[in-house]
Amino acid sequence: TSLGFADNTFGAATAFEVLEHVKDQERFIGELRRVLKSDGVCVLSTPNTRVMSPGGVFTNPDHTREFSADELKIFLSRFFGRVELYGQTLSARAFEVLARQKQRYASLSRVPVFLKRLFPVSVKARLARAYSFFYLLKSAGARPQDIDESDFLIASARVEEARYIIAVCRP
């Protein structure tokens, strides 16, 4: 929310799935706009709250505020003269991979908090990789490396139904 760069410094700014984690979202977007050149472009993405957190209950406890497509357009239009929205959805294959990953890591999240605090981050990362490796050995089906760019579908139609919203903003 306080970038150490002069006004009009960058031709492009990106923030992929960051906005929903920032407490002072107005200041964050204001800073992105401030450092952007007058002919620059800002591209950001965020989960669509209507799809990812139905009923207003965030699936990620680290989110401070999520947006629907309409809410995001109104919010960003306060900072940018032109805002175009696109929806990002996933193929059936990518959905399968996500479901398997969720199952894979569910048992790790059941480790009591006091035990998690005993391990440094580097050890936890190694344990997660080892667990993932052994899980993949015993499970069949799609793996993260089976996904490629064709599994991420981006379109300007039906943005309100997409899992993620991509905003392309210009001053």
Side-chain angles (χ1 to χ4, degrees), residues 23-42:
K23 287 183 179 141
D24 192 345
Q25 293 174 333
E26 290 188 10
R27 189 167 172 191
F28 174 68
I29 296 299
E31 277 293 280
L32 289 178
R33 173 61 187 95
R34 182 186 66 76
V35 299
L36 197 63
K37 291 181 179 179
S38 60
D39 62 345
V41 62
C42 176

Side-chain angles (χ1 to χ4, degrees), residues 20-93:
E20 65 276 9
H21 296 274
V22 178
K23 287 183 179 141
D24 192 345
Q25 293 174 333
E26 290 188 10
R27 189 167 172 191
F28 174 68
I29 296 299
E31 277 293 280
L32 289 178
R33 173 61 187 95
R34 182 186 66 76
V35 299
L36 197 63
K37 291 181 179 179
S38 60
D39 62 345
V41 62
C42 176
V43 181
L44 61 88
S45 68
T46 190
N48 181 351
T49 194
R50 290 194 178 146
V51 175
M52 302 296 282
S53 299
V57 178
F58 298 162
T59 55
N60 186 328
D62 295 324
H63 289 183
T64 61
R65 177 183 176 197
E66 294 180 355
F67 295 87
S68 67
D70 293 338
E71 292 167 338
L72 185 63
K73 184 149 190 166
I74 291 167
F75 176 72
L76 293 174
S77 293
R78 294 177 29 216
F79 301 90
F80 296 98
R82 188 168 150 211
V83 176
E84 300 170 38
L85 298 184
Y86 299 87
Q88 177 187 329
T89 57
L90 301 172
S91 69
R93 179 174 59 171

